[in-house]
């Protein structure tokens, strides 16, 4: 064939190929136009749904897969849904890979996930993820190897079983991470503060469904604690007091958990605004510990006001020094001037008195009260030892002495009394002024002996109070309180007016006047009693960040007899309140009405304003 014929044949072939390609493209565009969807052209409103299919998929694994799934019709996290079938299939395959990683993280190494896109009847598409779980991979060996310590050494564990790994556990990613951290923490707490993980190797035997895990760790040198160096520039805290708070001693094997415990002990003193503990340069295998402190202001001045429709207005002020002699001694001087009571008090606390868990407490009070129940002038002083029994339990034993003169409907009586208060407290509440979880309970018994109008007298006062707080939702708290008390005395007049039991008022039974929920004299003035019973329920709802709403029901009464008379029903009150939340606690406004209103005794309602919750 001549060259001209060859060129003509080649030109015809190229022309035929181009025509065929153009026809194919035309047919493809026609088909896509008929289907209504394009592989590459963006389409608005492509409709699809997703479904995970498979047998025996645990609920928690299904939830993890759903969380790993990025393909959702509702444009989750702002990612727009796919606009073409090509995008839909590509993203479905990406999700399938992410779900496989979920299976691997949960030790289903032989599991598989595949995706398919199916057209639904009536239009739209369904993405189906077919999950085959497969058998779970279990841990066969979990060992540690230490560079520089080929022959092992003190504190160097060789197997995770020594850290609590039980045999036959699944080789989940979280379990591997947890025991890796346990291994490093164990070394930090056993003399190796510089230990670190170099690498981690996980070998899975797919045929046997078993995993062998090896941690390669550099432990470095083992140390003991050295001397404690205290830096507290400009502070007044005694360095020996700081050293006494350390949870470790020089010469002990280095233990980072004891360093953390020391930091927590220093924080609980409330003396420091900044606390830092670090290791200085090692000396002969010992690590000196450098404690760097910044003291906060030791003095605080407080002012407060309170008001209720039954007690009137009152102003309180206090001055507090939290580090009086440089060993966290606390002195508080307080003054209260109110319509009913005027008082001056001094309270002193010395922590770590004779032993680490014991405090010395001393108090002094001079006061005058003028209420409907009695008029009283008194001077009272006391000293006690308080000991922390457990993190939740605290006990104290003390001695008090008081001189008082009480004037009531029975006349004027002078008292000179010694008391021996014994107190047991339980406290797991999460906040002092606004608790949301936990329990508070106090049991106190005080035998008194002395003189009443120069006649010998003895009596014993017992009182138990308890409250609990439950918060099922972040904004909603249920609070419950109960109180019971009795005084073993021959007559109510054997007991000073301020020592008797009363009910009624803002911290007791709201809706009734101060001390008015109890026995009354002929002039309808309260006389106090030798027993008391109270019950309170509050529902607290924090409607906004700074504003809360409270509904409450209170019940209670004081009784003239040493035990409550259950034939005499409790007096009940109910009401609503507002709370304004501040950094120092909620400001409380309560309005309550008496449900058992007594003619010529109880007002139609009572109003209470103070700082902190009612209980």
């Amino acid at each position: 064939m001549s060259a001209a014929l060859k060129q003509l044949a080649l030109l015809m072939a190229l022309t035929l190929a181009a025509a065929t390609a153009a026809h194919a493209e035309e047919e493809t565009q026609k088909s896509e136009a008929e289907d209504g969807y394009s592989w590459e052209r963006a389409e608005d409103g492509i409709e699809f749904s997703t479904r995970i299919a498979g047998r025996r998929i645990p609920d928690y694994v299904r939830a993890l897969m759903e969380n790993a799934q990025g393909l959702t019709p509702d444009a989750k996290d702002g990612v727009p849904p796919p606009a073409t079938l090509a995008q839909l299939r590509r993203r479905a395959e990406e999700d399938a890979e992410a779900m496989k990683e979920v299976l691997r993280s949960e030790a289903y190494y032989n599991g598989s996930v595949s995706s398919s896109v199916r057209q639904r009847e009536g239009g739209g598409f369904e993405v189906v993820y077919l999950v085959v779980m497969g058998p779970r991979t279990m841990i066969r060996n979990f060992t540690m190897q230490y560079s520089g310590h080929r022959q092992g050494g003190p504190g160097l564990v060789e197997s995770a079983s020594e850290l609590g790994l039980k045999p036959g556990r699944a080789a989940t990613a979280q379990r591997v991470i947890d025991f890796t951290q346990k291994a490093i923490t164990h070394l930090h707490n056993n003399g190796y503060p510089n230990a670190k993980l170099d690498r981690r190797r996980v070998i899975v035997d797919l045929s046997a469904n078993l995993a062998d895990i090896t941690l390669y760790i550099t432990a470095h040198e083992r140390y003991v604690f050295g001397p404690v160096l205290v830096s507290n520039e400009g502070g007044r805290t005694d360095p020996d007091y700081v050293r006494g708070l350390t949870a470790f001693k020089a010469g002990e094997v280095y233990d980072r958990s004891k360093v953390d415990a020391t930091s927590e002990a220093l924080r609980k003193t409330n003396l420091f605004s900044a606390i830092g503990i670090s290791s200085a340069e090692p000396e002969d295998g010992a690590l000196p510990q450098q404690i760097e402190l910044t003291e906060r202001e030791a003095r605080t001045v407080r002012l407060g006001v309170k008001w209720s429709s039954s007690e009137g207005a009152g102003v309180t002020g206090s001055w507090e020094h939290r580090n009086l002699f440089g060993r966290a001694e606390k002195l508080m001087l307080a003054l209260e001037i109110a319509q009913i009571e005027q008082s001056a008090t001094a309270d002193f606390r010395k922590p770590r008195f004779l032993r680490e868990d014991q405090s010395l407490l001393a108090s002094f009070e001079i006061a005058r009260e003028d209420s409907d129940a009695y008029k009283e002038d008194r001077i009272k002083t006391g000293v006690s030892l308080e000991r922390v029994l457990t993190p939740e339990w605290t006990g104290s034993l003390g001695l008090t002495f008081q001189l008082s003169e009480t004037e009531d409907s029975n006349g004027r009586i002078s008292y000179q009394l010694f008391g021996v208060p014994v107190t047991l407290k339980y406290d797991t509440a999460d906040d002092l002024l606004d608790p949301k979880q936990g329990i508070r309970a106090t049991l106190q018994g005080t035998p008194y002996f002395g003189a009443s109008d120069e006649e010998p007298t003895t009596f014993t006062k017992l009182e138990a109070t308890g409250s609990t707080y439950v918060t099922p939702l972040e904004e909603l708290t249920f609070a419950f309180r109960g109180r019971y008390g009795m005084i073993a005395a021959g007559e109510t007049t054997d007991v000073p007016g301020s020592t008797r039991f009363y009910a009624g008022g803002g911290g007791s039974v709201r809706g009734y006047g101060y001390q008015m929920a109890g026995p009354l004299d002929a002039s309808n003035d309260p006389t106090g009693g030798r027993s008391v019973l109270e019950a309170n329920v509050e529902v607290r709802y924090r409607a906004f960040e700074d504003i809360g709403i409270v509904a409450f029901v209170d019940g209670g009464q004081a009784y003239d007899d040493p035990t409550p008379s259950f034939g005499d029903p409790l007096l009940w009150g109910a009401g609503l309140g507002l709370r304004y939340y501040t950094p120092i606690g909620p400001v409380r406004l309560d309005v309550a009405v008496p449900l058992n209103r007594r003619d010529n005794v109880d007002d139609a309602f009572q109003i209470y304003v103070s700082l902190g919750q009612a209980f």
Side-chain angles (χ1 to χ4, degrees):
M1 182 181 295
S2 66
L5 291 176
K6 289 181 179 181
Q7 290 179 356
L8 179 60
L10 178 59
L11 178 62
M12 293 178 63
L14 291 174
T15 302
L16 179 61
T20 303
H23 178 73
E25 180 177 358
E26 180 181 352
E27 290 297 323
T28 300
Q29 293 178 351
K30 179 180 178 182
S31 175
E32 290 176 353
E34 291 174 353
D35 291 343
Y37 295 100
S38 169
W39 286 96
E40 299 299 339
R41 188 178 70 255
E43 293 280 354
D44 294 331
I46 185 172
E47 183 183 347
F48 70 94
S49 61
T50 63
R51 178 168 59 92
I52 297 176
R55 298 179 57 192
R56 299 177 181 177
I57 304 175
D59 291 342
Y60 80 95
V61 174
R62 183 182 293 274
L64 290 174
M65 288 183 170
E66 290 173 350
N67 289 335
Q69 181 180 325
L71 185 60
T72 55
D74 57 356
K76 185 179 179 181
D77 297 329
V79 178
T84 67
L85 289 178
Q87 291 179 2
L88 182 64
R89 285 180 173 156
R90 182 173 62 251
R91 288 176 59 180
E93 291 172 357
E94 292 173 354
D95 280 356
E97 290 299 320
M99 292 179 183
K100 287 180 186 178
E101 290 302 315
V102 169
L103 291 181
R104 291 169 62 86
S105 71
E106 292 302 313
Y108 294 97
Y109 284 90
N110 274 315
S112 64
V113 181
S114 59
S115 64
S116 61
V117 179
R118 308 170 185 176
Q119 189 164 10
R120 298 192 306 245
E121 293 184 7
F125 298 90
E126 181 183 46
V127 179
V128 179
Y129 301 99
L130 180 61
V131 179
V132 178
M133 298 295 296
R136 208 170 195 191
T137 299
M138 315 305 285
I139 296 175
R140 177 166 52 191
N141 297 298
F142 197 133
T143 58
M144 297 80 173
Q145 292 187 13
Y146 304 94
S147 60
H149 296 80
R150 298 296 183 184
Q151 304 303 318
L156 300 179
V157 295
E158 298 181 357
S159 172
S161 60
E162 299 178 59
L163 302 174
L165 178 64
K166 297 179 181 179
R169 305 304 298 272
T172 63
Q174 190 59 52
R175 181 166 288 119
V176 173
I177 292 171
D178 289 344
F179 277 91
T180 300
Q181 186 58 47
K182 278 189 176 184
I184 300 301
T185 300
H186 173 83
L187 293 174
H188 290 167
N189 295 342
N190 283 271
Y192 300 94
N194 300 318
K196 65 176 183 178
L197 177 70
D198 292 332
R199 62 190 177 93
R200 181 170 47 217
R201 185 177 69 181
V202 180
I203 298 178
V204 178
D205 184 346
L206 295 177
S207 62
N209 297 306
L210 295 172
D212 296 313
I213 303 158
T214 306
L215 305 182
Y216 296 90
I217 298 172
T218 298
H220 295 289
E221 186 177 349
R222 196 171 197 237
Y223 293 104
V224 298
F225 283 111
V228 176
L229 311 174
V230 179
S231 174
N232 183 22
E233 185 176 353
R236 60 179 291 152
T237 303
D238 188 341
D240 287 339
Y241 172 74
V242 175
R243 293 186 181 96
L245 291 172
T246 59
F248 52 83
K249 293 181 175 59
E252 292 181 345
V253 173
Y254 181 91
D255 186 337
R256 187 170 292 178
S257 67
K258 292 184 178 181
V259 176
D260 295 339
T262 299
S263 181
E264 179 66 12
L266 290 168
R267 185 192 65 80
K268 286 183 177 179
T269 65
N270 293 319
L271 298 179
F272 310 105
S273 59
I275 300 168
I277 304 179
S278 59
S279 297
E281 289 298 320
E283 300 174 358
D284 299 326
L287 282 178
Q289 297 301 294
Q290 178 71 48
I291 301 179
E292 297 183 3
L293 303 171
T294 302
E295 285 193 18
R296 57 164 45 105
E297 289 295 330
R299 299 170 184 83
T300 300
V301 176
R302 297 183 179 90
L303 293 174
V305 295
K306 63 179 181 178
W307 179 84
S308 74
S309 53
S310 61
E311 299 174 55
V315 178
T316 60
S318 66
W319 174 88
E320 180 184 75
H321 197 306
R322 291 179 294 278
N323 201 12
L324 192 62
F325 303 121
R327 301 181 72 88
E329 300 90 351
K330 181 187 293 184
L331 175 65
M332 177 180 285
L333 305 177
L335 182 67
E336 178 176 351
I337 301 175
Q339 290 180 237
I340 290 179
E341 181 177 0
Q342 304 84 47
S343 65
T345 60
D347 293 285
F348 174 78
R349 172 186 287 268
K350 180 176 178 56
R352 302 174 68 85
F353 181 73
L354 300 181
R355 51 185 289 167
E356 295 182 1
D357 58 355
Q358 185 168 270
S359 298
L360 172 68
L361 284 67
S363 62
F364 176 81
E365 177 192 42
I366 180 169
R368 176 179 178 81
E369 282 190 72
D370 187 356
S371 69
D372 292 337
Y374 59 85
K375 295 180 180 179
E376 182 174 281
D377 296 303
R378 66 178 177 273
I379 297 176
K380 184 176 181 180
T381 186
V383 63
S384 63
L385 292 176
E386 181 184 83
R387 183 175 297 180
V388 177
L389 306 175
T390 71
E392 298 83 19
W393 290 94
T394 303
S396 66
L397 173 66
L399 178 66
T400 64
F401 176 71
Q402 71 181 71
L403 296 172
S404 60
E405 187 173 79
T406 299
E407 181 180 354
D408 58 17
S409 58
N410 297 304
R412 184 185 297 270
I413 304 176
S414 297
Y415 300 91
Q416 304 85 40
L417 295 172
F418 288 93
V420 185
V422 180
T423 305
L424 187 62
K425 294 182 179 180
Y426 178 83
D427 192 348
T428 59
D430 57 355
D431 190 88
L432 179 63
L433 294 177
D434 187 21
K436 294 181 173 57
Q437 299 285 352
I439 298 173
R440 284 183 182 146
T442 302
L443 178 63
Q444 185 176 57
T446 307
Y448 290 92
F449 56 94
S452 171
D453 271 352
E454 300 182 356
E455 294 292 330
T457 183
T458 61
F459 60 91
T460 300
K461 182 177 182 179
L462 301 173
E463 184 174 5
T465 59
S467 56
T468 185
Y469 311 91
V470 180
T471 303
L473 301 174
E474 184 177 355
E475 304 85 4
L476 183 66
T477 298
F478 295 93
F480 307 89
R481 173 184 174 271
R483 178 190 181 209
Y484 174 79
M486 63 170 292
I487 300 176
E491 299 291 340
T492 301
T493 54
D494 293 337
V495 183
S498 59
T499 309
R500 300 170 193 168
F501 285 119
Y502 300 90
S508 176
V509 184
R510 286 162 288 186
Y512 299 87
Y514 177 63
Q515 300 180 335
M516 292 295 292
L520 308 175
D521 62 15
S523 301
N524 286 332
D525 291 330
T527 61
R530 287 175 287 168
S531 61
V532 69
L533 186 64
E534 293 178 354
N536 310 80
V537 178
E538 280 195 350
V539 180
R540 304 169 182 170
Y541 177 69
R542 192 159 183 165
F544 305 99
E545 183 177 356
D546 298 329
I547 301 296
I549 302 172
V550 173
F552 57 85
V553 176
D554 299 337
Q557 188 165 190
Y559 302 87
D560 187 54
D561 295 327
T563 57
S565 173
F566 292 101
D568 191 4
L570 300 180
L571 298 177
W572 292 92
L576 297 173
L578 288 177
R579 302 291 183 266
Y580 176 68
Y581 295 95
T582 71
I584 61 173
V587 176
R588 173 166 65 106
L589 169 63
D590 288 338
V591 180
V593 297
L595 301 182
N596 305 104
R597 186 180 179 186
R598 297 163 293 183
D599 292 338
N600 302 319
V601 175
D602 301 316
D603 294 329
F605 63 90
Q606 297 285 346
I607 301 174
Y608 311 92
V609 180
S610 64
L611 178 65
Q613 299 285 6
F615 57 90

